[in-house]
Amino acid sequence: MGARQERLPNHPNGKGGLVFNWHVDYRKAVDVHVGQLDKQGVWDHGPYSIHFTAGPDVNNIGDGLGMDLPNNVKAQKWLRKFNLQGHQVASHGGWIHNYYGINASEDNGADFKQFLALNHEAVAAVLGRKATEYSAPLGNNPFWAMDWLQDYGILGYYFTGHTGMGPTTAYREGKATNRGMWAFPVSPLGEYATFEEFSRYGVSDAQITRWYAALMDFAVYNRTSRMIYAHPPGAVGYSQAIKALLQSADAYEDNSYFQWYTMTELARFMNKRAQVSWRITVDSKGMYRFDASHPSSLKDQTWLLPKRSHDYPSVVQGKANVFEDALHWIVTAEDVTDLVFVANRLSGASRE
């Protein structure tokens, strides 16, 4: 929140938050661990991005360890419940989690595209709609898979590159790829990102709790977001850390500082934001005029004006709400296509 220039944040209403991406990889995770987290109240928060690997196997074709979503009534009920709760339910790969994650490559797309299609079709059959986000088993995202996903209609995806960043356009081999489909990089705690790793390397509940709190504070203060992810089997052993995270999120939400986001929500918003046209002009008396437009709607687009340099802004065309925090005037557009507001520049203020 400490920026010194006027800016248009890339989150709805300029509000920071977290994306919590859950990966459900195999049958036992559905049969046991998803229900254990339900008893802890985890699924009553969010919304989260919850992704399923839907095939009958995990490591190799025929091992029978997968959730077999098309024939698993219990798993189907969980998908429908999550969907009704407002979570974004989507596809985690690859049909056969480890087989796809280990073996898919740039050279065998002709053989492995079927596994992407099978997984997406299975999830869509349960939900009655296509998924709009995605996570790859073991983070394996060949270029052909990215193109297939974009053609399918995916808007956002879990990404193991650009570690620790907010949602972004992915750069691979020096080039921006699949514009309009947003990468959501993982934010790790040092070298570790999942509860399984925390357990293996002795990371305590207290350390995880401090990390979550710091990540949340960063997102709120900078009006941005970061993505964390987990698997239900690993998460059930860290109930105190998760409880502390959810309590902190509730406290921030109660004060309207924080929001849980899904990949889909942020991707849609950022695609809309990319169509915003805005400019600043200054008259001879130092009055700043902000002109903004959008082909369909400016709703939830938000401008931040530093208080150290601007007086209270006034809307002169269109509709917007004006709020404030300790450092900024906050102008949030309503459902209009054009907006004009003005703000006097304070005497002696410089635009850094």
Side-chain angles (χ1 to χ4, degrees):
M1 292 192 288
R4 296 182 178 182
Q5 290 188 352
E6 308 86 353
R7 64 189 179 102
L8 177 68
N10 61 354
H11 286 61
N13 303 299
K15 188 179 294 187
L18 294 177
V19 175
F20 206 156
N21 185 202
W22 291 88
H23 296 180
V24 187
D25 301 349
Y26 52 87
R27 179 182 294 272
K28 189 176 180 180
V30 172
D31 289 347
V32 179
H33 305 109
V34 168
Q36 290 175 331
L37 292 174
D38 188 48
K39 291 178 181 177
Q40 296 174 15
V42 171
W43 311 123
D44 297 329
H45 297 260
Y48 309 131
S49 291
I50 309 177
H51 300 174
F52 290 80
T53 307
D57 309 308
V58 174
N59 300 306
N60 297 291
I61 296 173
D63 66 25
L65 299 175
M67 72 180 63
D68 191 18
L69 181 62
N71 300 300
N72 188 331
V73 174
K74 186 173 184 178
Q76 293 170 13
K77 287 181 178 179
W78 279 117
L79 265 70
R80 294 189 183 105
K81 178 178 179 177
F82 290 151
N83 189 53
L84 288 173
Q85 286 178 306
H87 303 298
Q88 272 293 331
V89 179
S91 181
H92 184 29
W95 193 241
I96 305 173
H97 186 279
N98 292 345
Y99 181 77
Y100 180 95
I102 293 170
N103 294 299
S105 72
E106 295 296 347
D107 302 322
N108 57 19
D111 296 324
F112 276 80
K113 282 180 184 178
Q114 63 174 317
F115 296 115
L116 279 181
L118 285 167
N119 212 94
H120 280 81
E121 289 166 5
V123 172
V126 175
L127 299 180
R129 61 166 176 80
K130 285 186 174 183
T132 49
E133 55 191 55
Y134 172 79
S135 57
L138 308 184
N140 186 358
N141 282 315
F143 284 106
W144 58 260
M146 293 292 92
D147 293 340
W148 187 96
L149 292 163
Q150 190 160 39
D151 289 343
Y152 185 85
I154 296 301
L155 300 173
Y157 61 97
Y158 157 95
F159 192 55
T160 54
H162 306 327
T163 306
M165 288 183 63
T168 184
T169 296
Y171 280 77
R172 298 174 64 180
E173 298 182 2
K175 297 179 181 179
T177 59
N178 303 102
R179 288 191 179 275
M181 188 169 70
W182 295 88
F184 285 76
V186 174
S187 290
L189 169 52
E191 298 180 35
Y192 316 123
T194 68
F195 289 108
E196 289 83 357
E197 291 173 329
F198 299 154
S199 177
R200 187 178 307 127
Y201 296 105
V203 183
S204 68
D205 274 275
Q207 289 173 289
I208 300 166
T209 297
R210 288 195 295 271
W211 168 59
Y212 279 153
L215 199 60
M216 196 177 302
D217 288 346
F218 175 87
V220 168
Y221 184 81
N222 291 285
R223 297 181 180 275
T224 185
S225 68
R226 292 295 184 268
M227 190 192 79
I228 54 178
Y229 94 106
H231 308 92
V236 294
Y238 283 88
S239 60
Q240 292 305 308
I242 293 177
K243 181 179 179 181
L245 168 67
L246 299 180
Q247 287 177 338
S248 295
D250 286 346
Y252 265 136
E253 282 186 294
D254 288 344
N255 290 291
S256 299
Y257 293 139
F258 172 90
Q259 183 169 330
W260 287 108
Y261 289 109
T262 65
M263 295 182 193
T264 296
E265 181 182 8
L266 284 180
R268 283 177 174 157
F269 181 81
M270 289 187 294
N271 282 334
K272 283 189 65 177
R273 180 181 178 274
Q275 295 180 286
V276 175
S277 175
W278 68 290
R279 63 191 178 97
I280 303 173
T281 55
V282 189
D283 67 18
S284 60
K285 297 181 179 180
M287 180 68 75
Y288 274 57
R289 174 183 168 119
F290 297 75
D291 289 79
S293 63
H294 191 278
S296 59
S297 177
L298 287 166
K299 182 174 172 56
D300 298 332
Q301 302 292 338
T302 299
W303 285 261
L304 301 180
L305 282 62
K307 283 184 173 180
R308 63 182 291 180
S309 55
H310 287 286
D311 205 348
Y312 184 89
S314 300
V315 178
V316 297
Q317 180 183 331
K319 293 183 178 181
N321 296 302
V322 180
F323 308 97
E324 63 179 302
D325 63 21
L327 299 176
H328 298 99
W329 303 114
I330 305 164
V331 181
T332 300
E334 295 190 17
D335 190 8
V336 295
T337 57
D338 296 279
L339 178 68
V340 179
F341 59 94
V342 296
N344 190 44
R345 192 75 175 178
L346 296 179
S347 177
S350 61
R351 192 162 183 264
E352 301 177 31

